Amino acid sequence: MKEYNCDLQLHGLYAGGVSKQMLIPVIAQQSRLKGIEVLVCADALHKNWFEHLKQNIVETENNVLMDKNQTTYFIVGTEVEDKNRIHHLIYLPSLESAQELRTKFLSFGNLDCSMCGRPKLSLSAEQIAEKVHQTGGITGPAHSFTPYTGIYAYFDSVKKAYGQMAENIHFIELGLSADTTLADTIAENHVYTFLSSSDAHSPWPDKLGREFNRIKMQKPTFEALKKAVKEKDEKLVTLNVGLDPREGKYHATACNACYAQYSFEQAQSLSWKCIKCANPIKRGVRERIKMLATKAPGSHPNFRPRYMHVIPLAEIIQIALQAKNVNSQAVQSLWKDFVEAFGTEIHTLVDATEKELSEVHALTAKKIVSFRNGWVSYIPGGGGKYGTPFIFDSEKEFLEKKDKLEEKTRKEEMHGQKTLGEF
């Protein structure tokens, strides 16, 4: 068996808020630069996207799907929204089975509108799971803890959400604002395989593959994925990789308009209304998990693989250069230099030595090594705004400054505490 880097959640051209470059040839090319070998084909229920898939994905031996240039493997899949606003990931055996599932869903929602990468269905989670099961596919919740479309936003239990189909749920997808340490504090989750996926809306490597799984497979096919998530004792999912949850957009409790952050208790006392702009405060992933937690952090089932935190290479270069954004010419030029030197972004971030990295760019090399050492602190994200990482150049600097930064963050979260009586 070989271990493959797999990103199993992204969207195609016809989903809302997606780059016009989100096309199979571009996605395949960029995934190889990132170091991702297996992708989900995205949005397979949409008529126009399905035609794009048929034109750009070919079947090779043993039901293996690849792009026409045969650089990247694909697994058929999609994402749907149920009647409670919960999002579900679906993986299917073939393009033909996607057409079969489309037929089952057609009378329950518009699958082909211009914003239908995630079609809204007038079905419950249980009903969706039943139809997927009838088609030979597998399903599970997407970005399970996010406050708008995650399963835990509406249910205290995955089993309650899926009802009689719960025994057919074998995985949950964590989302950018949670990781293995947080998710496993909920005892129920010890029976599920965790997937970490990018949910990419653009093909560029700061989004595509920003979260991924390393999965051991004979061949990268649907059947191999199904076995990996079901046969947990075989430990075929060998690594989860993703952002530190504090960088996720919904980690902390915050206003969804001005992004002011609050403690859970303060938000409750304010009836979930921001004292700065009067817009709603949205409960963060961190607080939601605390509400449901029954186990201490660090408690994991024995099949659970390691979770590795990463920051996209372009973000690290941006920090090193103090550039305005990841798309600046200086950042993109240096990103290309690293990928040309080491083959892929993942190899650059994970495997290259400091000496090798320094031969490309010494300051960025130092930041990469510092991140590997954990010399990072964050202003956490919340309310729809990404968190901000701070990478320190030494352990001494990290220990001296992280507490001050975290204290500043706590004070900002509690910024209205002294004046609550006035409101």
Side-chain angles (χ1 to χ4, degrees), residues 4-300:
Y4 293 89
N5 294 330
C6 309
D7 185 356
L8 299 171
Q9 183 187 15
L10 54 125
H11 292 287
L13 185 64
Y14 299 99
V18 171
S19 166
K20 292 180 180 179
Q21 294 299 312
M22 211 60 171
L23 300 163
I24 291 298
V26 181
I27 294 168
Q29 183 218 20
Q30 292 297 315
S31 72
R32 298 305 287 183
L33 295 175
K34 182 78 176 190
I36 299 295
E37 298 152 296
V38 183
L39 292 171
V40 68
C41 71
D43 307 335
L45 302 181
H46 192 285
K47 179 174 63 176
N48 293 341
W49 182 253
F50 187 82
E51 289 302 312
H52 177 73
L53 296 178
K54 288 201 301 182
Q55 293 168 15
N56 290 278
I57 289 180
V58 297
E59 185 173 333
T60 64
E61 78 287 351
N62 300 321
N63 299 317
V64 175
L65 301 178
M66 300 190 77
D67 66 295
K68 281 188 173 181
N69 292 326
Q70 298 196 13
T71 63
T72 304
Y73 298 100
F74 283 87
I75 291 172
V76 179
T78 191
E79 180 180 348
V80 299
E81 182 178 302
D82 72 21
K83 66 180 184 180
N84 293 312
R85 293 195 66 194
I86 298 167
H87 286 194
H88 307 268
L89 295 178
I90 297 170
Y91 303 111
L92 297 162
S94 63
L95 288 171
E96 291 74 19
S97 60
Q99 286 296 87
E100 181 184 346
L101 185 61
R102 174 184 164 84
T103 300
K104 291 179 181 295
F105 283 158
L106 264 178
S107 60
F108 299 100
N110 183 352
L111 304 184
D112 300 319
C113 68
S114 61
M115 302 288 282
C116 284
R118 297 161 297 280
K120 298 179 181 180
L121 304 174
S122 58
L123 296 170
S124 67
E126 181 179 359
Q127 291 168 323
I128 288 170
E130 182 178 16
K131 293 184 184 302
V132 172
H133 184 68
Q134 291 169 352
T135 315
I138 56 174
T139 188
H143 34 75
S144 300
F145 305 98
T146 53
Y148 294 97
T149 56
I151 203 160
Y152 282 113
Y154 303 95
F155 290 90
D156 289 347
S157 163
V158 172
K159 291 180 179 179
K160 288 181 181 177
Y162 285 99
Q164 294 184 3
M165 293 301 297
E167 64 181 18
N168 294 295
I169 306 303
H170 303 290
F171 72 87
I172 68 172
E173 199 277 321
L174 297 174
L176 305 185
S177 296
D179 63 5
T180 296
T181 298
L182 289 171
D184 266 337
T185 61
I186 301 173
E188 177 197 44
N189 288 341
H190 286 221
V191 303
Y192 299 115
T193 295
F194 289 162
L195 297 181
S196 42
S197 307
S198 72
D199 197 8
H201 288 54
S202 82
W204 315 126
D206 62 309
K207 297 294 187 288
L208 187 68
R210 61 186 168 179
E211 299 209 345
F212 66 93
N213 318 276
R214 188 164 287 168
I215 302 177
K216 193 180 292 186
M217 297 182 273
Q218 292 284 3
K219 294 286 184 180
T221 63
F222 165 78
E223 291 300 332
L225 173 63
K226 182 178 179 180
K227 180 178 181 180
V229 299
K230 287 186 68 175
E231 306 299 330
K232 299 173 183 62
D233 291 340
E234 293 194 30
K235 300 182 180 180
L236 298 175
V237 179
T238 61
L239 183 68
N240 292 106
V241 181
L243 304 181
D244 185 294
R246 292 171 292 180
E247 195 170 353
K249 292 196 296 184
Y250 301 106
H251 183 67
T253 294
C255 174
N256 64 7
C258 73
Y259 309 120
Q261 294 189 10
Y262 297 86
S263 70
F264 181 74
E265 293 75 17
Q266 187 179 10
Q268 279 188 314
S269 68
L270 291 168
S271 299
W272 300 90
K273 187 175 183 179
C274 179
I275 59 174
K276 290 184 69 176
C277 69
N279 279 288
I281 299 169
K282 207 64 181 175
R283 182 181 62 203
V285 169
R286 178 180 62 192
E287 282 72 31
R288 180 56 174 153
I289 290 177
K290 284 180 182 177
M291 292 171 64
L292 300 171
T294 57
K295 290 183 174 290
S299 173
H300 304 288

Side-chain angles (χ1 to χ4, degrees), residues 369-382:
V369 172
S370 293
F371 184 82
R372 289 176 182 174
N373 288 330
W375 302 335
V376 190
S377 193
Y378 291 82
I379 294 176

